[in-house]
């Protein structure tokens, strides 16, 4: 019998085994922890990964998997050995949840739509309390399913990964099963309680109503998850939030904070902020309406790339690409993510310079379209399209795709291509960009159409210290701007806000007035929108976009020269030799 079949045979003999039961609940006391040297300590803990370690040990292939009780450790073990894939394989360990860190099973069969597994510390009905070893039928495209660790069996491994086709030690098959699968019943795909995504709910709690309503609706989407949470709050708290169904706004936030204090025993100080995963789990249990997983998100974890910028890079020379400004939103950054995605999905290194879309990148992209997406003819060659680029981002789990703006900021269809924008198009996403203030000023000078000079650099170095202490995420909640003008709802964000006594507080999802001054040079959203620089982000916390808008503002209001030579004289806040003064 092959190593693969031996492993699956060992695991399947445990189907039907149950852990201990006491005080009305299953208690994680099981036979596997004491039987694996080094994992004795894990008794009475979650044991899905411990079961896999036990099975590999019993099958005599202990060296082909990590001896651990931790799913994240197992994921990294396979990744570090180049044995991780986003496609199923016979005998593979399949990981679930955010970064694969929540649950694990063993694949004994797969087809185009499902992976069939043997899993420990799970149950029959899909609830969050595991009790034994079960057969499961898992949808391959479910966002809960993260990826697969591929053991290096002596006979090789059978996989659905097209990037491993014809490589030593791998046999490609679009559908396959172990010899041991024939004796196993086929589990039904779980219907039980629906799942909600903690990531999607965090996103909804931290973004404006307009963005939530613009997100796709339907089962498993953000709107659907918010609706389930609202229903659960109504059931547990006895009152429904007044927000529109499926929109996480002020009333839903306030009711969730009441749930924290009244049901979970949190103090008023600890009751604020976006819902945590554990709090959502408790709400799901008490309402019996949903289970919680990390899942996917419309605007979290994965960065956006611009289709227009990738297309531009694929149709221009390396010299032209290299001449473009850098930064997180640059064509080079987008191309680098595409190259990383191709390497992850196709298991082949891209020979082009990182961030430069040339022949090697194009060739591998065409191969991805032919072998993974099964495109043919003219559909399999040429510049990347929205469908293939989106599929690559999803398959690799690295990025999301939007039309975006073309290089140079002209002629595009996305909001980012415009100069002046509607204030309601301004976004409030916490900045995570790396770089120096001098880099940001240089990029902003290009975007704002001014001549780069030491006048601009010295002026903004002074103003930035005075306005935000260099914090791109600063949000001023106390001065005269901190109000909500007619026609705008309150906006939620993750910024850092200054209080009147000088202390800095983390807002962490608290409601904030729309008109608060924000960003590295403290623009209010209306001014940021009016003076928005073409080709820059519509996120007010983006330092390049914020500085560029401020440059355009001082040029228009104070008559500052294009080279900034009179900036310090015209605008006192930018003059290091005079006292600070708002501008």
């Amino acid at each position: 019998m092959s190593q693969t079949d031996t492993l699956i045979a060992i695991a399947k003999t445990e189907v039907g085994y149950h852990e201990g039961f006491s005080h009305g609940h299953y208690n994680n006391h099981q036979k596997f922890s004491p039987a694996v040297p080094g994992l004795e300590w894990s008794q009475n803990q979650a044991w899905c990964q411990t079961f896999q370690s036990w099975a590999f040990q019993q099958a005599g292939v202990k060296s082909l998997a990590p001896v651990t009780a931790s799913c994240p450790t197992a994921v990294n073990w396979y990744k570090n050995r180049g044995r991780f894939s986003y496609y199923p394989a016979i005998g593979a360990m399949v990981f679930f949840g955010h970064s694969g860190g929540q649950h694990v099973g063993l694949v004994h069969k797969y087809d185009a739509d499902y992976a069939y597994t043997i899993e420990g510390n799970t149950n029959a009905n899909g609830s969050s309390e595991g009790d034994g070893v079960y057969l499961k039928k898992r949808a391959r495209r479910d966002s809960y399913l993260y990826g697969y660790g591929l053991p290096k069996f002596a006979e090789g491994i059978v996989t659905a990964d097209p990037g491993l086709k014809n490589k030593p030690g791998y046999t490609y098959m679009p559908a396959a099963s172990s010899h041991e699968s024939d004796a196993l019943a086929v589990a039904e795909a779980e219907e039980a309680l629906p799942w909600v995504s903690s990531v999607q709910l965090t996103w909804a709690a931290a973004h404006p109503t307009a963005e939530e309503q613009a997100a796709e609706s339907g089962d498993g989407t953000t709107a659907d998850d918010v609706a389930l949470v609202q229903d659960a709050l109504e059931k547990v708290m006895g009152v429904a939030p007044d927000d529109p169904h499926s929109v996480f706004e002020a009333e839903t936030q306030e009711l969730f904070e009441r749930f924290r204090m009244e049901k979970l025993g949190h103090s008023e100080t600890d009751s604020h902020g976006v819902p945590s995963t554990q709090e959502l789990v408790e709400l799901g249990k008490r309402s019996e309406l949903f289970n919680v997983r990390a899942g996917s998100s419309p605007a979290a974890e994965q960065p956006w790339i611009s289709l227009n910028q990738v297309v531009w890079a694929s149709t221009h020379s390396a010299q032209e690409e290299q001449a473009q400004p850098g930064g997180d939103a640059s064509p080079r950054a987008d191309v680098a993510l595409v190259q990383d995605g191709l390497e992850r999905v196709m298991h082949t290194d891209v020979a082009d310079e990182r961030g430069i879309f040339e022949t090697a990148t194009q060739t591998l992209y065409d191969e991805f379209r032919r072998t993974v997406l099964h495109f043919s003819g003219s559909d399999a060659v040429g510049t990347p399209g929205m469908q293939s680029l989106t599929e690559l981002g999803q398959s690799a789990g690295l990025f999301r795709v939007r039309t975006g703006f073309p290089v140079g900021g002209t002629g595009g269809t996305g909001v980012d291509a415009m100069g002046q924008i509607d204030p309601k198009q301004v976004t409030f996403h916490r900045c995570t960009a790396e770089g120096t203030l001098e880099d940001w000023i240089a990029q902003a000078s290009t975007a704002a159409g001014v001549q780069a000079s030491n006048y601009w650099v010295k002026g903004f170095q002074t103003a930035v210290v005075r306005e935000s202490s260099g914090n791109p995420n600063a949000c001023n909640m106390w001065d005269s701007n901190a109000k909500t003008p007619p026609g705008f709802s309150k906006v939620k964000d993750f910024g850092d806000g200054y209080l009147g006594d000088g202390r800095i507080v983390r807002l962490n999802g608290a409601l904030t007035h729309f008109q608060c001054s924000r960003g590295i040079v403290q623009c209010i959203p209306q001014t940021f929108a009016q003076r928005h620089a073409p080709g820059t982000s519509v996120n007010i916390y983006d330092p390049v976009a914020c500085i560029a808008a401020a440059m355009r503002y001082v040029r228009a209001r104070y008559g500052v020269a294009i080279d900034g030579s009179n900036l310090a004289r015209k605008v006192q806040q930018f003059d290091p030799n005079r006292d600070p003064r708002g501008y």
Side-chain angles (χ1 to χ4, degrees), residues 191-198 200-201 204 212 218-237 239-241 243-248 252 255-256 259 275 279-293:
E191 295 295 338
L193 292 178
W195 291 90
V196 301
S197 162
S198 60
Q200 292 186 163
L201 289 164
E212 294 182 57
D219 291 345
T221 61
T222 303
D224 187 61
D225 287 359
V226 171
L228 280 168
V229 167
Q230 291 172 325
D231 291 344
L233 286 169
E234 180 178 6
K235 184 175 181 180
V236 173
M237 301 302 294
V239 60
D243 292 332
H245 204 233
S246 78
V247 175
F248 200 117
T252 305
L255 190 57
F256 199 94
F259 165 73
E279 291 165 349
L280 289 167
V281 168
E282 285 297 326
L283 180 60
K285 285 181 179 179
R286 294 177 187 226
S287 65
E288 298 182 334
L289 289 181
F290 59 80
N291 291 310
V292 182
R293 62 189 178 198

Side-chain angles (χ1 to χ4, degrees), residues 527 530-531 550-560 570-571 581-583:
T527 301
Q530 182 184 26
R531 300 302 176 185
M551 286 176 167
R552 288 161 62 91
Y553 171 71
V554 296
R555 288 257 295 140
R557 178 169 180 178
Y558 298 101
V560 173
K570 291 277 190 177
V571 193
R581 182 180 180 182
Y583 73 104

Side-chain angles (χ1 to χ4, degrees), residues 62-398:
K62 185 176 180 179
S63 64
L64 304 186
V67 179
T68 180
S70 165
C71 292
T73 297
V75 169
N76 290 331
W77 191 91
Y78 281 109
K79 285 185 174 182
N80 291 338
R81 287 159 176 77
R83 304 287 301 183
F84 195 83
S85 173
Y86 295 90
Y87 295 83
I90 303 302
M93 291 170 66
V94 54
F95 297 95
F96 300 92
H98 178 58
S99 299
Q102 291 184 283
H103 187 57
V104 65
L106 182 71
V107 178
H108 67 85
K109 175 182 176 180
Y110 65 84
D111 56 32
D113 299 311
Y114 295 97
Y116 302 82
T117 62
I118 305 169
E119 301 174 20
N121 198 28
T122 187
N123 53 47
N125 62 19
S127 71
S128 58
E129 184 176 51
D131 60 61
V133 181
Y134 290 83
L135 298 173
K136 292 290 182 178
K137 180 180 178 181
R138 301 289 194 172
R140 285 177 53 181
R141 292 164 185 82
D142 187 342
S143 60
Y144 183 50
L145 196 158
Y146 177 68
Y148 305 82
L150 310 184
K152 193 174 182 179
F153 297 118
E155 66 273 13
I157 193 166
V158 176
T159 175
D161 191 334
L164 296 174
K165 192 184 297 184
N166 301 322
K167 293 192 175 182
Y170 301 94
T171 300
Y172 171 76
M173 294 182 68
S177 64
S178 164
H179 293 108
E180 297 298 313
S181 296
D182 296 338
L184 293 172
V186 177
E188 292 296 323
E190 292 186 0
E191 295 295 338
L193 292 178
W195 291 90
V196 301
S197 162
S198 60
V199 173
Q200 292 186 163
L201 289 164
T202 298
W203 181 88
H207 286 76
T209 302
E211 291 185 53
E212 294 182 57
Q213 292 173 332
E216 185 180 0
S217 60
D219 291 345
T221 61
T222 303
D224 187 61
D225 287 359
V226 171
L228 280 168
V229 167
Q230 291 172 325
D231 291 344
L233 286 169
E234 180 178 6
K235 184 175 181 180
V236 173
M237 301 302 294
V239 60
D242 290 336
D243 292 332
H245 204 233
S246 78
V247 175
F248 200 117
E249 259 294 331
E251 297 297 329
T252 305
Q253 178 72 34
E254 290 172 8
L255 190 57
F256 199 94
E257 290 174 359
R258 276 188 53 199
F259 165 73
R260 285 188 178 113
M261 290 188 288
E262 297 176 18
K263 303 300 181 181
L264 302 184
H266 292 187
S267 67
E268 184 174 359
T269 303
D270 295 332
S271 68
H272 302 295
V274 298
S276 71
T277 299
Q278 189 54 48
E279 291 165 349
L280 289 167
V281 168
E282 285 297 326
L283 180 60
K285 285 181 179 179
R286 294 177 187 226
S287 65
E288 298 182 334
L289 289 181
F290 59 80
N291 291 310
V292 182
R293 62 189 178 198
S296 58
S297 164
E301 295 186 324
Q302 295 176 2
W304 288 101
I305 68 169
S306 161
L307 171 65
N308 286 344
Q309 292 195 153
V310 174
V311 169
W312 181 90
S314 72
T315 56
H316 286 73
S317 69
Q319 291 76 17
E320 291 174 288
E321 294 178 66
Q322 290 164 342
Q324 290 298 316
D328 287 346
S330 68
R332 293 191 69 164
D334 287 357
V335 171
L337 281 169
V338 171
Q339 291 170 329
D340 290 344
L342 288 169
E343 290 183 348
R344 174 177 284 193
V345 173
M346 302 303 291
H347 300 275
T348 301
D349 291 337
V350 177
D352 289 334
E353 178 185 342
R354 180 171 170 77
I356 302 299
F357 199 119
E358 286 299 307
T359 303
T361 305
Q362 183 69 59
T363 299
L364 194 57
Y365 196 94
D366 293 345
E367 181 68 13
F368 163 73
R369 286 187 283 204
R370 285 193 297 269
T371 61
V372 177
L373 303 184
H374 305 294
F375 287 4
S376 60
S378 60
D379 292 335
V381 296
T383 59
M386 178 62 82
Q387 180 184 352
S388 60
L389 201 57
T390 300
E391 291 280 355
L392 177 62
Q394 291 175 348
S395 297
L398 287 180

Side-chain angles (χ1 to χ4, degrees), residues 311-574:
V311 169
W312 181 90
S314 72
T315 56
H316 286 73
S317 69
Q319 291 76 17
E320 291 174 288
E321 294 178 66
Q322 290 164 342
Q324 290 298 316
D328 287 346
S330 68
R332 293 191 69 164
D334 287 357
V335 171
L337 281 169
V338 171
Q339 291 170 329
D340 290 344
L342 288 169
E343 290 183 348
R344 174 177 284 193
V345 173
M346 302 303 291
H347 300 275
T348 301
D349 291 337
V350 177
D352 289 334
E353 178 185 342
R354 180 171 170 77
I356 302 299
F357 199 119
E358 286 299 307
T359 303
T361 305
Q362 183 69 59
T363 299
L364 194 57
Y365 196 94
D366 293 345
E367 181 68 13
F368 163 73
R369 286 187 283 204
R370 285 193 297 269
T371 61
V372 177
L373 303 184
H374 305 294
F375 287 4
S376 60
S378 60
D379 292 335
V381 296
T383 59
M386 178 62 82
Q387 180 184 352
S388 60
L389 201 57
T390 300
E391 291 280 355
L392 177 62
Q394 291 175 348
S395 297
L398 287 180
F399 58 81
R400 295 161 290 155
V401 185
R402 58 186 173 192
T403 305
F405 53 92
V407 175
T410 58
T413 59
V415 144
D416 293 321
M418 306 178 194
Q420 182 175 343
I421 59 175
D422 189 310
K424 293 183 178 180
Q425 293 173 319
V426 177
T427 62
F428 303 86
H429 306 315
R430 185 171 176 80
C431 171
T432 57
E434 296 182 356
T436 66
L437 176 59
E438 289 70 28
D439 291 337
W440 296 334
I441 294 171
Q443 293 173 44
S445 297
T446 300
V450 302
Q451 294 176 8
S453 71
N454 281 335
Y455 298 115
W456 288 114
V457 172
K458 290 179 180 179
F460 272 89
Q461 285 174 334
T462 300
V464 162
V465 170
R466 292 172 171 180
E467 293 287 337
S468 68
S469 298
N471 176 13
N473 296 300
C475 176
N476 186 320
M477 298 187 294
W478 63 269
D479 73 6
S480 60
N481 284 318
K483 59 187 178 182
T484 298
F488 293 87
S489 66
K490 290 183 178 181
V491 175
K492 295 160 288 188
D493 62 68
F494 289 120
D496 292 326
Y498 288 95
L499 293 181
D501 60 6
R503 290 183 297 117
I504 300 176
V505 296
R506 176 69 58 79
L507 296 183
N508 195 26
L511 294 178
T512 309
H513 285 294
F514 177 82
Q515 196 170 288
C516 287
S517 302
R518 292 173 168 90
I520 197 163
V521 281
Q522 293 289 277
C523 292
I524 63 171
Q526 296 95 317
T527 301
F528 177 81
Q530 182 184 26
R531 300 302 176 185
H532 178 258
T536 63
S537 171
V538 295
N539 178 16
I540 199 168
Y541 288 124
D542 182 292
V544 173
C546 194
I547 292 171
M551 286 176 167
R552 288 161 62 91
Y553 171 71
V554 296
R555 288 257 295 140
R557 178 169 180 178
Y558 298 101
V560 173
I562 194 169
D563 64 354
S565 56
N566 59 349
L567 174 62
R569 178 166 55 86
K570 291 277 190 177
V571 193
Q572 184 171 325
Q573 185 74 327
F574 292 75

